[in-house]
Amino acid sequence: MKRRAFTLADALLGLIVLAVTVLLIEMTVQTLNRQTKLTLSSETDWYEAVALLEGDRYAFTLVEAGRTGLILRDRRGRLFKVTADPRPIGPLALKGSSGGYIPLLIKVQSSTVAWRMLNDHEVALSLTTTDQRRHEAIVQFQPPAPSRPRAIDRDSPAERDCNGDPLQRAVPGPTTADQPAIGAPVRPTDPSQPDQGAPNGGRHGEKDE
């Protein structure tokens, strides 16, 4: 029984199918690698942005968490604002009050940027990038410097008692020989010495004879 052999056309058709299969596999692998690189790049950019806000390069302190952005102050007293781009897709940027622009994260969906003030130096920041990656972090700024206690002015009219009346300080009056001045040290009584205030220079408790 004779068997039909492969013809040149069959061989060419098999090569074409194999080439198309290899091409599709290569395109799929490249797409996955590109997506992985974008994801890693997005994560890296996010960590770098948070590190810039929390780092010692500027030593930011939180001034205000407003509706349009975060108001920060650096170690030199300059004001900065963290805000999203007004366009649907744009960067999350750090802008100086007197000029300057630092993009913290690019390709951000502006409508997803949100922040919530937790305390005087912590903010919960969240956003979504164009690769549909959700990023969330609690950004910790430098704690504010403790305020110095205000010195009390003794002569201030605001110093009042619980009834609302001005406090009056005690003024030492004229002193006599029998009445020591206010604040003067009191000498202890020596029982062997006669008391100057006792009659006839005698001691306390002795009767006059």
Side-chain angles (χ1 to χ4, degrees):
M1 182 178 179
K2 294 182 179 181
R3 300 178 62 181
R4 183 175 178 273
F6 287 103
T7 62
L8 181 59
D10 294 335
L12 291 176
L13 182 61
L15 291 175
I16 292 174
V17 171
L18 180 60
V20 171
T21 304
V22 172
L23 183 61
L24 290 176
I25 293 175
E26 184 180 0
M27 291 177 61
T28 303
V29 172
Q30 289 181 355
T31 303
L32 291 177
N33 289 337
R34 188 180 301 110
Q35 185 68 24
T36 302
K37 290 180 180 180
L38 289 175
T39 301
L40 293 177
S41 176
S42 177
E43 292 289 344
T44 303
D45 293 342
W46 171 248
Y47 289 131
E48 289 180 351
V50 174
L52 178 63
L53 295 175
E54 295 182 341
D56 296 332
R57 178 181 178 184
Y58 294 97
F60 287 120
T61 55
L62 181 61
V63 177
E64 180 184 355
R67 297 180 57 184
T68 59
L70 302 176
I71 307 298
L72 310 177
R73 179 181 287 109
D74 69 350
R75 66 170 75 248
R76 298 171 57 184
R78 298 175 300 180
L79 294 178
F80 291 83
K81 184 176 183 180
V82 179
T83 181
D85 197 276
R87 296 171 295 181
I89 296 178
L92 180 71
L94 179 65
K95 300 180 180 180
S97 59
S98 58
Y101 178 91
I102 301 177
L104 298 175
L105 198 64
I106 60 176
K107 295 182 179 180
V108 176
Q109 299 181 18
S110 302
S111 60
T112 63
V113 179
W115 48 79
R116 179 168 54 90
M117 186 173 179
L118 302 179
N119 49 48
D120 58 357
H121 67 282
E122 290 183 342
V123 171
L125 180 62
S126 61
L127 54 86
T128 302
T129 50
T130 54
D131 58 356
Q132 304 303 320
R133 298 282 299 180
R134 184 69 176 174
H135 303 281
E136 297 180 351
I138 296 179
V139 185
Q140 297 181 348
F141 300 102
Q142 300 294 326
S147 58
R148 297 181 178 179
R150 185 176 60 87
I152 299 177
D153 187 4
R154 297 297 182 180
D155 297 330
S156 174
E159 188 180 2
R160 299 177 180 274
D161 58 11
C162 60
N163 297 324
D165 299 327
L167 292 177
Q168 297 181 357
R169 291 180 294 173
V171 179
T175 59
T176 60
D178 298 335
Q179 181 181 2
I182 298 177
V186 180
R187 297 180 181 179
T189 303
D190 188 356
S192 62
Q193 298 294 332
D195 190 355
Q196 299 296 330
N200 299 328
R203 301 177 183 176
H204 284 289
E206 294 183 357
K207 296 182 180 180
D208 296 338
E209 296 179 357

